[in-house]
Amino acid sequence: MYVADSRGGAGTEVRGASRPGPRATAVAPTVLVLGTVSLITDVSSEMVTAVLPLYLVAGLGLSPLGFGLLDGVYNGFSALVRLVGGHLADRGGGRHKAVAAVGYGLSAVCKPALLLVHSLPLIGAVLAADRTGKGLRTAPRDALISLSSAPETRGRAFGVHRAMDTAGALLGPLVAFLILRQAAEGYDAVFTVSSCVAALGVLVLLLFVPGSRGGVPAPAPGVPASADPPRPTLRASLALLRRRDVRRLTVCATLLGLSTVSDSFVYLLLQHRLGVPDRWFALLPLGTAAAFLLLAMPLGRLADRMGRWRMFLAGHVALLAAYGLLLAHGPAYAVLLLHGAFYAATDGVLMAAASTAVPDELRGAGLALVQTGQATARFAASLAFGAAWTAWGDRTALTTAALALTVCAVCAVYLRPAPSK
């Protein structure tokens, strides 16, 4: 296992040797096990995500504004608890596995609850609880990945994890599609199978993921330890925003999140514009997942070489191109390919960039700060897009989102962190 030799005083990387050892480019076992947990969990989550838009809009008759509200809850509510999850994980020398297990367990419990609720308020409450679980687990999980990986290979490590995670996202809609074709009560069957798969993911986490490291990594030979490393307090976590790179990463991720149309709306737009039958709707996320799976590892490695920030911006250029194709009635496969490329170039890459800017003692809270800004912005974007679609129609809403993404990308270029990030 490879551990980042970061010290808290200056928030910079300290390396114990001029060159990595012969295995320094290997992916740590912890990353592979966490990738397996994420794969299983994403099969469960994406089974629900794949059918949820159709279930709510076609099955329960919600308007685009009502769906935008629920979709915002589903994708943005975790922002309220990510800082809490990151802070709790950093306490006591690192409780990353324990906090992550609580988050995975809470989400697993919420899956069968969808069988029992059929009104907008109750569905919203269940989705909020599910996203609370996601908020609790995301920062501790990503902290474990970064702490078990050498600094120069974190882009690759996150790429491997995201590829395994996306393999689950690829399988989930396929399983949901098969269930909907075979089961008489299709939606109930999807939710039931999803809950069983989620429980399996929690079990793998508890049995096979090693516990967090105790304490802080030792300094490299000949390098003095930091005199006063930051204590994992909530005040110290928020004080990370005083660091230039952390602050600018958070601001840029938030700006770009404000103009990101949620996945569910992208698939609804594709169905609306191309006339995709309801029975094929659950397969649309497969295109995004397949592109993400194929591109996550190579783009992660490329980000380690060319710069993670540049790759992050390139991913949003791909998203802008996807919006353009949607407006021009371009082929669905091209839209989904660009959509998957956007995630491959941004999701793990952003966490790899942020992990170099925060000390080990506050790794969970530091990553949570960046994630919170992005998740909060996407919550607002989902509400705004749903309202714009209801008021002006899908084309005007998407045109507005594309213009907003262009403006936010230009602002992010000027606010970018240090070129090395």
Side-chain angles (χ1 to χ4, degrees), residues 114-127:
L114 287 171
L115 295 167
L116 307 176
V117 296
H118 298 92
S119 65
L120 180 62
L122 292 178
I123 293 174
V126 172
L127 295 181

Side-chain angles (χ1 to χ4, degrees), residues 269 272-273 327 385 388-389 392-399:
L269 284 166
H272 182 71
R273 290 182 167 275
L327 289 169
F385 190 85
W389 187 342
W392 305 324
D394 60 340
R395 182 176 182 84
T396 302
L398 186 58
T399 301

Side-chain angles (χ1 to χ4, degrees), residues 71-356:
D71 189 65
V73 169
Y74 192 68
N75 291 293
F77 194 85
S78 62
L80 300 177
V81 293
R82 291 194 186 210
L83 283 175
V84 176
H87 172 64
L88 292 177
D90 291 334
R91 296 289 296 271
R95 300 172 181 168
H96 303 97
K97 176 182 175 179
V99 176
V102 172
Y104 279 110
L106 180 58
S107 293
V109 170
C110 290
K111 299 300 189 299
L114 287 171
L115 295 167
L116 307 176
V117 296
H118 298 92
S119 65
L120 180 62
L122 292 178
I123 293 174
V126 172
L127 295 181
D130 178 78
R131 294 299 92 179
T132 297
K134 181 176 176 61
L136 285 174
R137 72 179 183 250
T138 301
R141 180 203 65 198
D142 286 348
L144 281 171
I145 294 172
S146 68
L147 290 169
S148 64
S149 305
E152 62 273 9
T153 63
R154 284 180 186 150
R156 170 191 249 187
F158 276 100
V160 169
H161 174 269
R162 291 326 195 244
M164 298 179 71
D165 181 272
T166 307
L170 188 65
L171 293 173
L174 181 59
V175 174
F177 170 74
L178 295 175
I179 292 174
L180 287 176
R181 285 182 62 89
Q182 299 297 325
E185 299 293 335
Y187 294 118
D188 288 351
V190 169
F191 298 151
T192 300
V193 174
S194 174
S195 64
C196 296
V197 176
L200 176 62
V202 176
L203 186 63
V204 172
L205 173 73
L206 294 174
L207 293 180
F208 298 106
V209 174
S212 301
R213 299 175 297 109
V216 190
V223 178
S226 174
D228 187 21
R231 294 173 59 84
T233 64
L234 189 57
R235 178 178 296 181
S237 301
L238 295 175
L240 288 173
L241 289 174
R242 297 175 184 171
R243 298 174 181 237
R244 180 177 180 272
D245 285 347
V246 176
R247 182 174 62 253
R248 292 200 171 190
L249 274 171
T250 303
V251 170
C252 291
T254 302
L255 270 177
L256 293 167
L258 285 172
S259 52
T260 301
V261 177
S262 77
D263 298 356
S264 296
F265 275 125
V266 170
Y267 304 140
L268 285 172
L269 284 166
L270 278 172
Q271 186 198 35
H272 182 71
R273 290 182 167 275
L274 301 179
V276 178
D278 288 353
R279 66 180 181 276
W280 298 104
F281 182 85
L283 292 181
L284 290 178
L286 292 179
T288 296
F292 193 172
L293 176 64
L294 292 174
L295 296 174
M297 284 190 285
L299 291 186
R301 294 184 65 181
L302 184 60
D304 286 334
R305 297 178 181 178
M306 66 173 280
R308 294 158 188 165
W309 178 246
R310 292 177 181 175
M311 181 61 68
F312 184 70
L313 284 178
H316 285 85
V317 172
L319 181 63
L320 184 61
Y323 291 172
L325 283 179
L326 270 173
L327 289 169
H329 296 274
Y333 69 86
V335 173
L336 295 174
L337 174 63
L338 289 168
H339 197 226
F342 157 69
Y343 279 113
T346 59
D347 191 12
V349 171
L350 177 62
M351 291 297 96
S355 66
T356 64

Side-chain angles (χ1 to χ4, degrees), residues 22-49:
R23 294 185 60 202
T25 58
V27 176
T30 298
V31 177
L32 298 177
V33 180
L34 285 170
T36 302
V37 174
S38 293
L39 188 155
I40 297 171
T41 303
D42 246 38
V43 171
S44 170
S45 298
E46 294 302 321
M47 286 176 63
V48 174
T49 301

